[in-house]
Amino acid sequence: MVPEAEFTSYYGRPVLNQPAWKPLNIAGYFFLGGLAGAGSVVAAGAELTGRPVTARALKTSSAVAVAGSAAALIHDLGRPGRFANMLRVFKPTSPMSVGSWLLSAYGPACAVAAACDLTGRLPRVGRAAGAGAALLGPAVAAYTAVLAADTAVPGWHEGYRELPFVFVGSAATAASGMALAMSPTAENGPARSAALAGTALENAATKAMERRLGLVAEVYRSGPGGRWMRAAETLSAAGAAGAALFAGRSRVAAGASGLALVAASACTRLGVFHAGLESSKDPKYTVVPQRERMRRREQDDAAAG
């Protein structure tokens, strides 16, 4: 019997071309977009429930975050004209095209909502803009996960089922943390609940993704990706515990818990980004899953025959 051949690549070189994305640009783009999108949803809820300080703070932070997200993306593209060129057509099958149009619609709505609230002028226009930003916010928070999973990078592509839930949970964690850090204790009840829900969703989706990824999950447990993901887990646990136990009574505890949650979300995005980079370097993360899928298809065909 001839032993099964082991995977190899040409002179040990990676099977895939590594992404040319820069870590701070794209991880920052992921993080700031999630903070902005989820923040608009929390701001709308705060406004509807009579929490004006929280609503104003999150409208402002969302406007600043989406501007930073767009700036990080344009900086990575190299020239502003490249972003404008993506708006020449609308292609529903392209996450980048859909995301570009989302940012172009969401950004102005978010800015108008914040400006009207801060100046006190045109309140009806501000409320309409805030409602529009809240409607677009979940898509802004989630589409970057689809964008990453649409690539051939194993650490991102193989997690296409769970990665949007990881990003949405991370965005909710960041937005609730920002609300805790910037709002008075009398208004932070919903933010505390959102913090617990966001961290629970993020951690549950991350664990489910790691279980399903098999061999590829190594990049989320070791190396740079693993270090960032462990930091995110520690910070989110500390932030959620502080939000649940102390944030309702102490302004200092609320601020510290909020900052820990915001930092946890940033670490998650950096962890996902670096895990993807590491998975593109080693050919085994591309070849072994492909062979496993081929083996399963052959077994299914044989059973059907």
Side-chain angles (χ1 to χ4, degrees), residues 2-303:
V2 178
E4 184 177 356
E6 297 182 356
F7 67 88
T8 57
S9 64
Y10 187 71
Y11 287 104
R13 296 179 63 84
V15 175
L16 302 174
N17 290 326
Q18 294 183 42
W21 296 340
K22 298 178 180 64
L24 290 181
N25 285 342
I26 299 304
Y29 163 58
F30 289 171
F31 163 67
L32 291 172
L35 172 61
S40 292
V41 176
V42 178
E47 192 166 40
L48 288 174
T49 57
R51 292 174 168 85
V53 177
T54 302
R56 184 177 302 115
L58 286 177
K59 288 178 184 178
T60 305
S61 68
S62 292
V64 173
V66 74
S69 178
L73 174 61
I74 291 171
H75 185 265
D76 195 77
L77 291 173
R79 293 198 305 269
R82 291 177 176 171
F83 181 82
N85 287 337
M86 290 189 289
L87 301 177
R88 296 173 62 185
V89 296
F90 178 72
K91 189 176 181 182
T93 57
S94 169
M96 181 60 79
S97 177
V98 173
S100 301
W101 281 97
L102 266 176
L103 285 178
S104 299
Y106 171 78
C110 195
V112 169
C116 290
D117 202 328
L118 289 171
T119 61
R121 297 185 177 182
L122 303 175
R124 292 184 179 179
V125 173
R127 285 194 293 270
L135 289 174
L136 295 174
V140 173
Y143 90 89
T144 48
V146 181
L147 174 64
D150 196 48
T151 66
V153 176
W156 300 333
H157 181 73
E158 298 294 330
Y160 71 95
R161 293 179 183 174
E162 297 86 4
L163 200 57
F165 295 98
V166 175
F167 273 36
V168 169
S170 176
T173 299
S176 60
M178 186 65 69
L180 286 171
M182 299 180 68
S183 62
T185 54
E187 293 187 9
N188 70 11
R192 299 200 308 270
S193 300
L196 296 177
T199 54
L201 175 60
E202 178 185 353
N203 288 310
T206 300
K207 297 302 181 184
M209 181 174 69
E210 291 178 357
R211 286 195 299 270
R212 195 177 61 81
L213 287 181
L215 175 67
V216 182
E218 290 178 357
V219 296
Y220 287 95
R221 296 169 180 157
S222 61
R227 289 193 292 272
W228 284 114
M229 296 302 285
R230 286 192 295 274
E233 188 174 3
T234 301
L235 286 168
S236 65
L245 299 175
F246 308 112
R249 300 190 299 270
S250 169
R251 185 70 186 85
V252 174
S257 300
L259 292 177
L261 292 170
V262 173
S265 178
C267 289
T268 295
R269 307 309 173 103
L270 284 164
V272 170
F273 184 85
H274 282 287
L277 286 186
E278 292 301 311
S279 71
S280 69
K281 295 177 183 178
D282 195 328
K284 71 179 180 181
Y285 297 124
T286 302
V287 177
V288 172
Q290 287 179 345
R291 292 189 173 180
E292 290 178 351
R293 287 192 292 269
M294 290 176 60
R295 188 177 297 110
R296 286 196 297 268
R297 282 197 295 267
E298 291 173 355
Q299 293 173 351
D300 292 341
D301 291 342

